Amino acid sequence: MAEHSDSVLVVGATGQQGGATARGLLAAGVPVRALVRDPAAPAAVALAAAGAALVTGDLDDPPSLAAAVAGARAVFLIPPSVFGAGGWDSAREAERGRAVVDAARRGGVEQIVFSGVARTPGHDSRDLDGKTAIEEAVAESGLRYTLLRPVRFMENYLLRAFVVDGIVDGVNRHIFPADEPLSMIALADIADFAVLALTDPARFDGQALQLAGDAPTPRAAADAISAATGDAVRYHELSEAEADAIAPMIGDAWRAVRRTGGWRADLPALRTLHPGLRDLRTWLSTGGAAAISALGADTTAAPSTL
Protein backbone atom coordinates (compact mmCIF):
# COMPACT_ATOMS: atom_id res chain seq x y z
CA MET A 1 0.00 0.00 0.00
CA ALA A 2 1.38 3.39 -0.98
CA GLU A 3 2.00 5.97 1.72
CA HIS A 4 -0.88 8.43 1.90
CA SER A 5 -2.25 11.41 3.79
CA ASP A 6 -5.80 11.75 5.09
CA SER A 7 -6.81 13.71 2.01
CA VAL A 8 -9.80 12.88 -0.21
CA LEU A 9 -9.64 13.36 -3.96
CA VAL A 10 -12.98 14.70 -5.21
CA VAL A 11 -13.66 13.81 -8.83
CA GLY A 12 -16.44 16.00 -10.19
CA ALA A 13 -15.56 18.76 -7.74
CA THR A 14 -16.70 21.62 -9.98
CA GLY A 15 -20.23 20.22 -10.25
CA GLN A 16 -22.86 20.99 -7.63
CA GLN A 17 -22.79 17.58 -5.96
CA GLY A 18 -19.02 17.24 -5.99
CA GLY A 19 -18.57 20.84 -4.90
CA ALA A 20 -20.94 20.39 -1.98
CA THR A 21 -19.08 17.25 -0.94
CA ALA A 22 -15.73 19.02 -1.13
CA ARG A 23 -17.01 21.87 1.04
CA GLY A 24 -18.55 19.42 3.50
CA LEU A 25 -15.26 17.57 3.87
CA LEU A 26 -13.36 20.81 4.39
CA ALA A 27 -15.87 21.84 7.06
CA ALA A 28 -15.23 18.48 8.77
CA GLY A 29 -11.50 19.17 8.77
CA VAL A 30 -10.68 16.69 6.00
CA PRO A 31 -8.03 17.82 3.48
CA VAL A 32 -9.48 17.92 -0.04
CA ARG A 33 -7.81 17.50 -3.41
CA ALA A 34 -10.13 18.68 -6.17
CA LEU A 35 -9.64 17.24 -9.64
CA VAL A 36 -10.13 20.02 -12.21
CA ARG A 37 -9.41 20.41 -15.89
CA ASP A 38 -8.99 24.19 -15.71
CA PRO A 39 -7.66 25.66 -12.43
CA ALA A 40 -8.70 29.13 -13.63
CA ALA A 41 -12.38 28.21 -14.03
CA PRO A 42 -14.63 30.09 -11.55
CA ALA A 43 -15.77 26.91 -9.77
CA ALA A 44 -12.16 25.76 -9.39
CA VAL A 45 -11.06 29.17 -8.06
CA ALA A 46 -13.90 29.07 -5.52
CA LEU A 47 -12.82 25.62 -4.33
CA ALA A 48 -9.24 26.80 -3.89
CA ALA A 49 -10.48 29.81 -1.92
CA ALA A 50 -12.42 27.43 0.34
CA GLY A 51 -9.22 25.52 1.10
CA ALA A 52 -9.11 22.71 -1.46
CA ALA A 53 -5.86 21.80 -3.18
CA LEU A 54 -6.42 21.80 -6.94
CA VAL A 55 -4.95 18.98 -9.01
CA THR A 56 -5.16 19.22 -12.76
CA GLY A 57 -6.33 16.16 -14.64
CA ASP A 58 -8.73 14.82 -17.23
CA LEU A 59 -10.98 11.76 -17.03
CA ASP A 60 -10.04 10.99 -20.63
CA ASP A 61 -6.31 11.07 -19.77
CA PRO A 62 -5.54 8.11 -17.42
CA PRO A 63 -1.91 9.15 -16.72
CA SER A 64 -3.16 12.43 -15.25
CA LEU A 65 -5.42 10.45 -12.91
CA ALA A 66 -2.50 8.49 -11.56
CA ALA A 67 -0.85 11.74 -10.51
CA ALA A 68 -4.11 13.05 -9.05
CA VAL A 69 -4.72 10.09 -6.71
CA ALA A 70 -1.12 9.97 -5.48
CA GLY A 71 -1.13 10.37 -1.71
CA ALA A 72 -4.93 10.41 -1.33
CA ARG A 73 -6.58 8.16 1.26
CA ALA A 74 -9.96 8.11 -0.47
CA VAL A 75 -11.75 9.15 -3.65
CA PHE A 76 -15.22 10.61 -4.07
CA LEU A 77 -16.31 9.85 -7.62
CA ILE A 78 -19.10 11.44 -9.60
CA PRO A 79 -18.01 11.55 -13.25
CA PRO A 80 -20.03 13.93 -15.42
CA SER A 81 -22.68 12.36 -17.62
CA VAL A 82 -21.67 12.14 -21.27
CA PHE A 83 -24.04 13.00 -24.10
CA GLY A 84 -23.33 12.43 -27.77
CA ALA A 85 -25.20 12.68 -31.03
CA GLY A 86 -27.10 9.51 -30.16
CA GLY A 87 -28.00 10.61 -26.63
CA TRP A 88 -26.51 9.29 -23.40
CA ASP A 89 -23.01 7.88 -24.00
CA SER A 90 -22.98 5.15 -21.36
CA ALA A 91 -19.88 3.48 -22.76
CA ARG A 92 -17.75 6.60 -22.36
CA GLU A 93 -19.20 7.28 -18.93
CA ALA A 94 -18.23 3.75 -17.87
CA GLU A 95 -14.76 4.12 -19.36
CA ARG A 96 -14.15 7.31 -17.40
CA GLY A 97 -15.34 5.77 -14.15
CA ARG A 98 -13.25 2.64 -14.61
CA ALA A 99 -10.19 4.79 -15.28
CA VAL A 100 -10.61 6.51 -11.92
CA VAL A 101 -11.16 3.20 -10.10
CA ASP A 102 -8.10 1.69 -11.74
CA ALA A 103 -5.97 4.72 -10.85
CA ALA A 104 -7.21 4.56 -7.25
CA ARG A 105 -6.42 0.87 -6.95
CA ARG A 106 -2.97 1.23 -8.45
CA GLY A 107 -2.26 4.35 -6.39
CA GLY A 108 -2.89 2.74 -3.02
CA VAL A 109 -6.15 4.53 -2.25
CA GLU A 110 -8.07 2.84 0.59
CA GLN A 111 -11.68 3.85 -0.14
CA ILE A 112 -13.99 4.94 -2.96
CA VAL A 113 -17.40 6.54 -2.56
CA PHE A 114 -19.32 6.61 -5.83
CA SER A 115 -22.47 8.67 -6.39
CA GLY A 116 -24.63 7.31 -9.19
CA VAL A 117 -28.40 7.20 -9.47
CA ALA A 118 -31.31 5.46 -7.74
CA ARG A 119 -32.77 2.20 -8.98
CA THR A 120 -36.41 1.30 -9.47
CA PRO A 121 -37.70 -2.30 -9.39
CA GLY A 122 -37.11 -3.92 -12.77
CA HIS A 123 -35.64 -0.73 -14.23
CA ASP A 124 -34.07 -1.47 -17.60
CA SER A 125 -33.05 1.99 -18.83
CA ARG A 126 -29.84 2.13 -20.82
CA ASP A 127 -29.16 5.43 -19.07
CA LEU A 128 -28.01 3.38 -16.07
CA ASP A 129 -25.60 1.15 -17.99
CA GLY A 130 -22.60 3.40 -17.46
CA LYS A 131 -23.31 3.90 -13.77
CA THR A 132 -23.90 0.17 -13.27
CA ALA A 133 -20.56 -0.59 -14.89
CA ILE A 134 -18.83 1.89 -12.59
CA GLU A 135 -20.55 0.42 -9.53
CA GLU A 136 -19.33 -3.03 -10.55
CA ALA A 137 -15.77 -1.75 -10.99
CA VAL A 138 -15.89 -0.10 -7.56
CA ALA A 139 -17.25 -3.23 -5.87
CA GLU A 140 -14.64 -5.42 -7.54
CA SER A 141 -11.71 -3.09 -6.79
CA GLY A 142 -10.83 -4.71 -3.47
CA LEU A 143 -11.03 -1.31 -1.76
CA ARG A 144 -13.46 -0.18 0.89
CA TYR A 145 -16.40 1.35 -0.91
CA THR A 146 -19.85 2.90 -0.57
CA LEU A 147 -22.37 3.34 -3.38
CA LEU A 148 -24.73 6.31 -3.16
CA ARG A 149 -27.90 6.14 -5.28
CA PRO A 150 -29.77 9.45 -5.02
CA VAL A 151 -33.29 9.88 -6.36
CA ARG A 152 -34.66 13.02 -8.05
CA PHE A 153 -33.10 16.27 -6.79
CA MET A 154 -35.24 18.94 -5.11
CA GLU A 155 -33.08 21.39 -7.04
CA ASN A 156 -34.76 20.15 -10.21
CA TYR A 157 -37.50 22.68 -9.44
CA LEU A 158 -34.90 25.29 -10.42
CA LEU A 159 -34.26 23.84 -13.87
CA ARG A 160 -35.09 25.87 -16.96
CA ALA A 161 -34.87 25.17 -20.69
CA PHE A 162 -35.83 21.51 -20.17
CA VAL A 163 -38.83 19.91 -21.86
CA VAL A 164 -40.03 18.65 -18.47
CA ASP A 165 -39.44 19.69 -14.85
CA GLY A 166 -38.72 23.11 -13.44
CA ILE A 167 -41.48 25.67 -13.04
CA VAL A 168 -42.47 27.65 -16.12
CA ASP A 169 -45.36 30.13 -16.03
CA GLY A 170 -46.46 28.69 -12.70
CA VAL A 171 -46.58 25.09 -13.93
CA ASN A 172 -44.38 22.13 -13.06
CA ARG A 173 -44.77 19.61 -15.91
CA HIS A 174 -43.51 16.06 -15.51
CA ILE A 175 -44.15 12.37 -16.21
CA PHE A 176 -44.89 11.37 -12.60
CA PRO A 177 -48.43 10.51 -11.42
CA ALA A 178 -49.86 13.59 -9.70
CA ASP A 179 -51.16 11.85 -6.58
CA GLU A 180 -48.55 9.16 -5.93
CA PRO A 181 -45.46 9.66 -3.73
CA LEU A 182 -42.40 11.00 -5.55
CA SER A 183 -39.07 10.44 -3.81
CA MET A 184 -36.71 13.41 -3.83
CA ILE A 185 -33.59 14.63 -2.06
CA ALA A 186 -31.69 17.88 -1.53
CA LEU A 187 -28.24 18.00 -3.09
CA ALA A 188 -26.79 19.06 0.26
CA ASP A 189 -27.99 15.79 1.79
CA ILE A 190 -26.24 13.71 -0.87
CA ALA A 191 -23.06 15.54 0.08
CA ASP A 192 -23.78 14.92 3.77
CA PHE A 193 -24.06 11.18 3.17
CA ALA A 194 -20.84 11.25 1.14
CA VAL A 195 -19.05 12.98 4.02
CA LEU A 196 -20.46 10.44 6.49
CA ALA A 197 -19.14 7.56 4.39
CA LEU A 198 -15.77 9.17 3.77
CA THR A 199 -15.19 9.98 7.44
CA ASP A 200 -16.39 6.60 8.75
CA PRO A 201 -15.20 4.06 6.13
CA ALA A 202 -15.69 0.96 8.28
CA ARG A 203 -19.32 1.77 9.13
CA PHE A 204 -20.35 2.30 5.51
CA ASP A 205 -18.09 -0.25 3.83
CA GLY A 206 -19.90 -2.31 1.19
CA GLN A 207 -23.19 -0.42 1.54
CA ALA A 208 -25.39 0.73 -1.34
CA LEU A 209 -27.65 3.51 -0.08
CA GLN A 210 -30.76 4.56 -2.01
CA LEU A 211 -30.97 8.20 -0.96
CA ALA A 212 -34.12 10.27 -0.52
CA GLY A 213 -35.24 12.89 1.99
CA ASP A 214 -38.96 13.13 1.30
CA ALA A 215 -41.70 11.63 -0.84
CA PRO A 216 -44.61 14.05 -1.30
CA THR A 217 -46.95 13.66 -4.24
CA PRO A 218 -46.14 16.05 -7.12
CA ARG A 219 -49.43 17.85 -6.47
CA ALA A 220 -48.61 18.24 -2.74
CA ALA A 221 -45.11 19.43 -3.65
CA ALA A 222 -46.59 22.12 -5.91
CA ASP A 223 -48.87 23.20 -3.05
CA ALA A 224 -45.87 23.40 -0.69
CA ILE A 225 -43.95 25.51 -3.20
CA SER A 226 -46.98 27.79 -3.61
CA ALA A 227 -47.21 28.28 0.16
CA ALA A 228 -43.47 28.89 0.55
CA THR A 229 -43.08 31.34 -2.33
CA GLY A 230 -46.46 33.07 -2.27
CA ASP A 231 -46.86 32.37 -5.98
CA ALA A 232 -49.40 29.90 -7.30
CA VAL A 233 -47.75 26.76 -8.69
CA ARG A 234 -49.65 23.80 -10.07
CA TYR A 235 -48.56 20.39 -11.27
CA HIS A 236 -49.36 19.08 -14.75
CA GLU A 237 -49.05 15.33 -15.20
CA LEU A 238 -48.10 14.60 -18.78
CA SER A 239 -50.29 12.12 -20.59
CA GLU A 240 -48.66 9.22 -22.37
CA ALA A 241 -49.36 10.92 -25.70
CA GLU A 242 -47.77 14.17 -24.49
CA ALA A 243 -44.70 12.30 -23.27
CA ASP A 244 -44.33 10.42 -26.56
CA ALA A 245 -44.70 13.67 -28.51
CA ILE A 246 -41.75 15.21 -26.66
CA ALA A 247 -39.31 12.36 -27.30
CA PRO A 248 -39.31 8.55 -27.36
CA MET A 249 -37.15 8.41 -24.23
CA ILE A 250 -39.65 10.59 -22.35
CA GLY A 251 -42.47 8.27 -23.36
CA ASP A 252 -40.42 5.25 -22.32
CA ALA A 253 -39.75 6.85 -18.93
CA TRP A 254 -43.48 7.64 -18.52
CA ARG A 255 -44.32 3.97 -18.98
CA ALA A 256 -41.43 2.77 -16.80
CA VAL A 257 -42.60 4.90 -13.87
CA ARG A 258 -46.05 3.33 -14.01
CA ARG A 259 -44.68 -0.17 -14.50
CA THR A 260 -42.18 -0.04 -11.62
CA GLY A 261 -43.95 2.29 -9.21
CA GLY A 262 -41.00 4.69 -9.17
CA TRP A 263 -38.17 5.05 -6.67
CA ARG A 264 -38.38 3.76 -3.14
CA ALA A 265 -36.13 4.58 -0.20
CA ASP A 266 -36.19 3.72 3.51
CA LEU A 267 -36.66 7.23 4.89
CA PRO A 268 -36.70 6.26 8.61
CA ALA A 269 -33.45 4.31 8.23
CA LEU A 270 -31.83 7.16 6.31
CA ARG A 271 -32.94 9.66 8.95
CA THR A 272 -31.34 7.46 11.62
CA LEU A 273 -28.05 7.69 9.75
CA HIS A 274 -28.50 11.42 9.06
CA PRO A 275 -30.90 13.04 11.56
CA GLY A 276 -30.69 16.38 9.75
CA LEU A 277 -32.06 14.93 6.51
CA ARG A 278 -34.10 17.65 4.79
CA ASP A 279 -37.69 17.21 3.70
CA LEU A 280 -39.13 19.42 0.94
CA ARG A 281 -40.51 22.01 3.35
CA THR A 282 -37.13 22.34 5.05
CA TRP A 283 -35.38 22.71 1.69
CA LEU A 284 -37.87 25.39 0.70
CA SER A 285 -37.48 27.29 3.97
CA THR A 286 -33.67 27.19 3.87
CA GLY A 287 -33.12 28.71 0.44
CA GLY A 288 -35.14 26.67 -2.02
CA ALA A 289 -38.17 28.95 -2.05
CA ALA A 290 -35.97 32.03 -2.40
CA ALA A 291 -34.13 30.43 -5.32
CA ILE A 292 -37.41 29.57 -7.04
CA SER A 293 -38.72 33.11 -6.52
CA ALA A 294 -35.47 34.61 -7.79
CA LEU A 295 -36.03 32.92 -11.14
CA GLY A 296 -39.26 34.88 -11.48
CA ALA A 297 -40.64 35.02 -14.98
CA ASP A 298 -37.29 34.25 -16.63
CA THR A 299 -38.11 31.11 -18.61
CA THR A 300 -34.92 31.23 -20.71
CA ALA A 301 -32.30 30.76 -17.99
CA ALA A 302 -29.84 27.94 -18.58
CA PRO A 303 -30.34 24.77 -16.52
CA SER A 304 -28.14 24.17 -13.51
CA THR A 305 -25.33 21.63 -13.67
CA LEU A 306 -26.26 18.95 -11.17
Side-chain angles (χ1 to χ4, degrees):
M1 184 73 69
E3 185 176 346
H4 58 73
S5 67
D6 193 44
S7 65
V8 175
L9 175 70
V10 178
V11 178
T14 55
Q16 288 197 36
Q17 196 178 144
T21 299
R23 291 188 292 274
L25 288 167
L26 289 168
V30 178
V32 170
R33 296 159 60 88
L35 181 69
V36 299
R37 284 187 297 178
D38 179 7
V45 172
L47 284 170
L54 303 184
V55 290
T56 304
D58 192 318
L59 295 180
D60 296 317
D61 179 18
S64 72
L65 299 179
V69 302
R73 177 193 64 79
V75 170
F76 174 72
L77 172 59
I78 178 171
S81 299
V82 184
F83 295 91
W88 203 301
D89 191 342
S90 295
R92 190 175 178 198
E93 182 181 26
E95 184 178 354
R96 286 177 165 183
R98 289 193 193 101
V100 174
V101 174
D102 186 59
R105 183 178 56 78
R106 292 176 181 273
V109 167
E110 294 181 354
Q111 178 194 22
I112 298 179
V113 174
F114 171 60
S115 183
V117 68
R119 303 299 200 259
T120 57
H123 192 44
D124 57 0
S125 172
R126 288 181 300 168
D127 296 348
L128 298 185
D129 287 353
K131 293 175 175 56
T132 298
I134 297 171
E135 284 195 354
E136 291 172 350
V138 170
E140 294 168 1
S141 67
L143 310 180
R144 280 181 165 169
Y145 73 90
T146 305
L147 305 175
L148 304 181
R149 295 172 176 168
V151 298
R152 176 182 179 271
F153 305 145
M154 294 177 187
E155 282 77 4
N156 283 12
Y157 286 113
L158 305 176
L159 295 177
R160 294 297 177 92
F162 271 55
V163 292
V164 294
D165 222 336
I167 300 169
V168 177
D169 297 331
V171 181
N172 172 229
R173 304 168 66 245
H174 220 308
I175 63 173
F176 304 107
D179 295 308
E180 295 182 12
L182 173 60
S183 295
M184 57 183 69
I185 190 167
L187 278 166
D189 283 313
I190 306 172
D192 287 346
F193 276 106
V195 172
L196 286 172
L198 287 161
T199 55
D200 196 351
R203 181 184 184 189
F204 291 91
D205 185 26
Q207 293 194 36
L209 300 175
Q210 184 109 327
L211 300 182
D214 203 355
T217 68
R219 199 187 307 276
D223 290 344
I225 293 169
S226 298
T229 62
D231 297 317
V233 174
R234 67 179 177 87
Y235 179 71
H236 174 72
E237 176 186 341
L238 294 176
S239 68
E240 184 173 13
E242 287 175 318
D244 281 329
I246 293 171
M249 67 178 294
I250 301 297
D252 290 343
W254 188 99
R255 286 178 284 276
V257 166
R258 284 152 184 80
R259 183 179 68 250
T260 65
W263 300 297
R264 294 289 183 269
D266 188 341
L267 292 175
L270 292 169
R271 203 167 296 281
T272 297
L273 291 172
H274 176 23
L277 189 62
R278 299 159 181 82
D279 58 17
L280 178 61
R281 293 183 187 277
T282 301
W283 178 78
L284 288 167
S285 67
T286 54
I292 291 171
S293 295
L295 291 173
D298 179 10
T299 60
T300 61
S304 300
T305 300
L306 300 178

